[in-house]
Amino acid sequence: MKSLVLGIGVSGQSAKSFLKELNHEVVAVETGPDDESIDLSLFDLIVTSPGIPPTNRLYKQALHLQKPLISEIELGLRHCGEKTLIGITGSNGKTTTTLLLTEMLKNSGFKAAAAGNIGRPFTQELLEGESDLIVVELSSFQLERSFTRKFHSGCILNITPDHLDRYQNFAAYCDAKLRLRELIVEGGLFLFDERGDIEKNAIVAKSLALNAGADIETIEKTLIHFKRPPHRLEEVGRFNDLTFINDSKATNIEATINAVKALKGPIHLICGGTDKGGDYRAWIEPFKEKVEAVYLIGAAAEKIERALSGAVALHRCENMERAVEEAMKNMSYESTLLLSPGCSSYDQYRNYE
């Protein structure tokens, strides 16, 4: 069998290795100007990486030719054997919830691991890991071309506007998230709070852990001792009564709102990056009497400035270093400097980390 992998990032490389283990003849390509020479008719299966959008030429051509076009997640679902799978998605909070749930299960004696959008590809965990139970964090991109019902349980934590630079509208983004519902086995537990109240993440993790067989006493102890993952409201230091918070994983508008709500003022906020199509005016009300100044960086700076003009003190800065320098001049006693971009970071950085 001959397979093509679109994208040669972490997910693509993992899919390539997994396919080779299945004795496929594999070609992996980075899409771009050089992909004109690729003849899709030669391939029996095409695996697309999450970063390849549906507007990509090869992606569209594969659909036109009615070639089997699947995600790296779907590849794993087709070959995961008897492993127990729990799927977690949502616009915000999915990494924290994935790690919290995995910790609950490990502490309860399960051979559990976290994989997927969290950093370790699902197929890599299947290939190299020794887990019997895998908690899979799922992005909307990964869900788009996933079809096989293999998740024993799953949840959608919330759906708020995000990735509108990829999807035609919010409804299309919602449809991608809701695909998880179609991947739950018959009789499996599916949780979705349409109100999107993500303070409920701990309750969701607790419910999924209990459903998997974890004991309540261990779950409660895990909740007490669990620490937030890096880059999510992470206190990175204090200096002269000033607090510095790294929330670089906040890559959409709602995530920045949640960060501001979680902290006491006065807050000096560094935000910006690659715009994802949202409306930054949603920040005006939550920022009132709490955010003292906003320091704008990246490609979205002008759009954010227009949206917030007159609502809060704004400072246009060329880069992160300049933003920190400017904020340090303006911060007063017991202020917090918060990095919570509200955008993706690809204009200046490789990823949110």
Side-chain angles (χ1 to χ4, degrees):
M1 193 166 182
K2 191 170 184 179
S3 297
L4 174 68
V5 176
L6 301 180
I8 57 174
V10 174
S11 175
Q13 292 293 346
S14 180
K16 179 181 177 181
S17 299
F18 195 80
L19 287 164
K20 284 186 174 180
E21 192 69 17
L22 296 173
N23 295 316
H24 288 218
E25 183 183 346
V26 188
V27 175
V29 297
E30 187 63 274
T31 62
D34 297 332
D35 64 24
E36 295 287 343
S37 60
I38 299 167
D39 183 359
L40 294 187
S41 67
L42 300 175
F43 298 96
D44 305 296
L45 177 70
I46 301 170
V47 180
T48 180
S49 299
I52 308 298
T55 54
N56 175 267
R57 188 187 69 84
L58 290 177
Y59 191 115
K60 291 193 295 185
Q61 189 179 355
L63 292 177
H64 177 72
L65 295 173
Q66 297 185 321
K67 288 287 182 179
L69 177 67
I70 66 172
S71 66
E72 178 261 341
I73 296 294
E74 172 64 15
L75 177 62
L77 293 178
R78 293 183 179 187
H79 301 280
C80 64
E82 298 303 312
K83 291 185 185 290
T84 299
L85 306 179
I86 302 175
I88 294 179
T89 193
S91 301
N92 295 297
K94 54 186 178 292
T95 296
T96 300
T97 307
T98 297
L99 292 174
L100 175 58
L101 174 58
T102 304
E103 197 69 16
M104 288 175 174
L105 295 168
K106 283 182 176 179
N107 292 344
S108 294
F110 288 91
K111 219 172 184 179
N117 191 61
I118 202 164
R120 180 177 175 85
F122 180 40
T123 49
Q124 184 182 350
E125 176 58 35
L126 291 175
L127 198 60
E128 302 174 1
E130 299 179 351
S131 56
D132 299 317
L133 192 160
I134 307 175
V135 184
V136 188
E137 180 187 326
L138 299 158
S139 70
S140 58
F141 302 169
Q142 291 171 315
L143 287 164
E144 286 171 8
R145 303 300 302 177
S146 299
F147 311 100
T148 303
R149 289 185 181 271
K150 275 288 188 173
F151 288 98
H152 294 73
S153 61
C155 70
I156 301 177
L157 297 169
N158 48 75
I159 305 181
T160 57
D162 196 5
H163 299 298
L164 299 183
D165 52 338
R166 172 153 169 159
Y167 295 100
Q168 288 185 338
N169 49 45
F170 182 48
Y173 171 63
C174 290
D175 288 343
K177 287 290 188 189
L178 288 165
R179 282 214 51 74
L180 176 58
R181 183 172 50 191
E182 310 305 316
L183 304 180
I184 307 290
V185 298
E186 188 174 346
L189 176 66
F190 175 67
L191 304 174
F192 177 38
D193 180 3
E194 294 186 14
R195 293 170 299 177
D197 185 359
I198 67 166
E199 301 312 323
K200 292 182 178 176
N201 289 358
I203 297 174
V204 169
K206 182 177 179 178
S207 300
L208 291 170
L210 285 170
N211 183 70
D215 65 275
I216 188 64
E217 186 178 344
T218 302
I219 288 171
E220 296 295 347
K221 285 181 180 178
T222 304
L223 280 170
I224 292 169
H225 297 291
F226 181 74
K227 294 181 179 179
R228 289 181 183 273
H231 312 289
R232 172 59 81 200
L233 283 175
E234 176 187 14
E235 183 176 313
V236 292
R238 291 175 182 264
F239 176 73
N240 288 351
D241 296 312
L242 307 178
T243 303
F244 298 81
I245 302 291
N246 171 24
D247 192 42
S248 66
K249 205 172 190 306
T251 58
N252 60 54
I253 288 169
E254 191 70 21
T256 299
I257 291 173
N258 293 331
V260 168
K261 286 180 177 178
L263 299 172
K264 68 175 186 178
I267 294 170
H268 287 249
L269 172 68
I270 299 176
C271 63
T274 302
D275 177 52
K276 297 163 81 175
D279 187 350
Y280 300 100
R281 289 176 296 180
W283 284 348
I284 293 175
E285 194 61 34
F287 284 13
K288 281 182 179 177
E289 299 179 3
K290 203 166 191 184
V291 177
E292 201 164 78
V294 175
Y295 305 85
L296 304 170
I297 61 174
E302 185 176 345
K303 181 178 178 181
I304 299 173
E305 186 175 47
R306 289 198 304 268
L308 301 184
S309 180
V312 65
L314 300 171
H315 303 265
R316 284 282 291 272
C317 305
E318 293 179 9
N319 51 45
M320 187 74 70
E321 291 77 13
R322 181 75 183 118
V324 173
E325 290 173 3
E326 190 70 19
M328 291 289 285
K329 294 177 185 176
N330 300 323
M331 291 170 71
S332 55
Y333 178 70
E334 292 192 343
S335 291
T336 296
L337 180 57
L338 168 65
L339 167 63
S340 190
C343 303
S344 61
S345 55
Y346 300 126
D347 56 337
Q348 295 184 346
Y349 299 92
R350 192 169 70 178
N351 53 45
Y352 73 84
E353 295 173 334

